């Protein structure tokens, strides 16, 4: 006997649909879109996803059909986002993070999980507090191990599989990573003898630090003499030396503590240019802890771009 719904059943007004539900976006399409953007090509993205390029290409095409237009254009260095793609990217990342966090929470995958994160001591001192605060909320039960060092050594460790998520400068061509922050390197500190002919007193990190090399190369290029007054191996030691008046140091404004952020050299020094911070994640699969942590890092730098200095609010 065929059953029918009783006409007496009253459907609450809040559940009545005045128009058809919108189409659902497949998170697999979104993940392919994000990974292809990070990798720079369909082939490289497919390798990250452990899929054949034709399958990933088809997913991108279906997503473009849903979004009403092209998401990528082919540029000299690979695929680049269209305006439509740039609008979709942060939304796609948020949706994937919500999906992955929901899976991890409901399946209990984060309990007892461990993740190895790599970054320089300066970035750890400046950006890690809000990142860890968000991690504590989104990934409860996860143990974070931090490895600090300079860019070249950290990238080598990442390629050996020793680091799960890495934030560093000078990303080698052999690593698939995304640029999450671009900022001009500045001279921070006060020179005691601001003569144009005198040597520049430098406070720097140890050999292997990209900022140290940029600063020295800039001075040599313009024929300026210099002397190393202090060489430290931690952000705290370099900041202490600058505060003590030993010399100037190359530093991002977003990593300089507030008491010395406004100090500038009294003479014209060579421009240092901008640096790029790249983010690499070893496991981008759905529900993976490294992927969720990498999303938290992206959100932190999105806030820094929108409101410079906002990452200090949690300190």
């Amino acid at each position: 006997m065929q059953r029918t719904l009783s006409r007496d059943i009253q459907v609450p007004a809040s559940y009545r649909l005045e128009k058809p539900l919108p189409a659902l976006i497949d998170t697999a399409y979104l993940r392919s879109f994000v990974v292809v953007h990070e990798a720079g090509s369909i082939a490289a993205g497919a390798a990250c996803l452990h899929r054949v390029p034709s399958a990933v290409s088809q997913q991108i095409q279906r997503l473009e059909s849903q979004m009403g237009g092209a998401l990528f254009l082919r540029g000299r260095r690979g695929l680049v986002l269209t305006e439509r793609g740039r609008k979709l990217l942060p939304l796609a990342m948020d949706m994937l993070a919500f999906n992955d966090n929901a899976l991890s929470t409901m399946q209990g995958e984060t309990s007892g999980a461990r993740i190895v994160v790599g970054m320089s001591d300066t970035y750890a001192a400046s950006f890690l507090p809000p990142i860890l605060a968000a991690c504590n909320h989104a990934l409860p039960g996860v143990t974070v191990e931090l490895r600090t060092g300079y860019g070249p050594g950290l990238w080598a460790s990442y390629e050996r599989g020793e680091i799960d998520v890495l934030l560093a400068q000078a990303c080698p061509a052999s690593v698939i990573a995304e640029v999450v922050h671009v900022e001009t390197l500045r001279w921070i500190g006060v020179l005691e003898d601001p003569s144009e002919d005198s040597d520049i007193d430098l406070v720097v990190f140890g050999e292997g630090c990209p900022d140290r090399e940029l600063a020295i190369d800039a001075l040599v290029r313009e024929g300026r003499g210099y002397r190393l007054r202090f060489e430290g191996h931690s952000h705290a030691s370099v900041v202490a030396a600058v505060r003590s008046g030993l010399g100037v140091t190359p530093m991002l404004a977003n990593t300089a503590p507030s008491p010395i952020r406004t100090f500038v050299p009294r003479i014209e020094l060579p421009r240092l240019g901008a640096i790029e911070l790249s983010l690499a994640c070893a496991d981008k699969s759905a529900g993976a802890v490294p992927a969720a942590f990498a999303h938290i890092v992206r959100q932190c730098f999105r806030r820094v771009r929108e409101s410079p200095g906002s990452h200090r609010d949690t300190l």
Side-chain angles (χ1 to χ4, degrees):
M1 181 177 178
Q2 187 176 8
R3 295 184 178 180
T4 59
L5 290 174
S6 170
R7 294 182 180 179
D8 296 331
I9 296 178
Q10 297 296 317
V11 179
S14 59
Y15 287 88
R16 294 173 189 166
L17 300 178
E18 297 183 0
K19 59 181 180 179
L21 287 171
L24 298 177
I25 304 175
D26 193 324
T27 54
Y29 299 171
L30 293 176
R31 196 173 303 279
S32 291
F33 164 67
V34 171
V35 173
V36 166
H37 162 66
E38 294 174 355
S41 70
I42 295 287
C48 293
L49 294 165
H50 305 290
R51 304 201 65 181
V52 295
S54 59
V56 174
S57 178
Q58 190 176 57
Q59 288 182 327
I60 296 297
Q61 291 172 7
R62 289 175 177 172
L63 182 60
E64 288 179 328
S65 178
Q66 278 191 301
M67 297 298 104
L71 300 174
F72 291 105
L73 290 175
R74 190 169 298 279
R76 293 181 180 179
R77 298 184 179 180
L79 296 178
V80 295
L81 292 174
T82 63
E83 180 62 28
R84 192 181 303 271
R86 286 193 291 271
K87 289 180 180 178
L88 177 61
L89 183 62
L91 300 173
M93 289 179 170
D94 287 342
M95 291 175 68
L96 290 173
F98 183 86
N99 175 82
D100 295 350
N101 288 342
L103 284 174
S104 297
T105 300
M106 299 309 296
Q107 296 174 1
E109 292 179 357
T110 62
S111 180
R114 186 181 188 87
I115 181 173
V116 180
V117 177
M119 63 181 69
S120 75
D121 186 71
T122 292
Y123 302 146
S126 306
F127 300 117
L128 195 57
I131 291 172
L132 289 181
C135 177
N136 187 43
H137 174 73
L139 302 171
V142 171
T143 298
V144 178
E145 177 186 340
L146 177 67
R147 296 191 184 180
T148 60
Y150 302 133
L154 289 173
W155 287 114
S157 295
Y158 178 82
E159 291 193 276
R160 290 194 298 267
E162 299 169 359
I163 294 176
D164 298 309
V165 178
L166 177 57
L167 177 71
Q169 298 170 231
C171 175
S174 56
V175 175
I176 295 176
E178 58 183 297
V179 176
V180 293
H181 188 62
V182 179
E183 186 175 344
T184 300
L185 200 62
R186 304 181 185 278
W187 295 103
I188 302 294
V190 175
L191 295 171
E192 291 297 328
D193 181 11
S195 167
E196 292 287 349
D197 299 326
S198 60
D199 289 346
I200 304 301
D201 290 337
L202 286 184
V203 173
V204 293
F205 281 92
E207 292 187 8
C209 173
D211 294 353
R212 168 192 174 126
E213 296 171 3
L214 283 172
I216 292 177
D217 288 347
L219 291 170
V220 171
R221 242 185 351 261
E222 294 202 3
R224 298 298 303 270
Y226 68 90
R227 57 178 179 173
L228 298 181
R229 291 295 311 282
F230 182 87
E231 183 176 304
H233 295 277
S234 69
H235 183 68
S237 66
V238 169
V239 168
V242 172
R243 281 178 170 158
S244 301
L246 293 183
V248 294
T249 191
M251 192 173 288
L252 301 180
N254 272 305
T255 63
S258 54
I260 65 171
R261 280 212 301 272
T262 57
F263 288 5
V264 293
R266 300 172 187 170
I267 60 173
E268 189 70 24
L269 291 178
R271 293 186 178 182
L272 298 174
I275 64 168
E276 295 182 343
L277 294 186
S278 296
L279 174 67
C281 177
D283 188 353
K284 299 181 176 70
S285 58
V289 171
F293 190 91
H295 177 72
I296 291 171
V297 176
R298 292 188 197 97
Q299 287 181 315
C300 172
F301 282 100
R302 191 189 306 173
R303 288 192 294 271
V304 170
R305 288 194 300 273
E306 294 171 352
S307 178
S310 60
H311 58 292
R312 303 178 193 276
D313 295 341
T314 62
L315 300 182

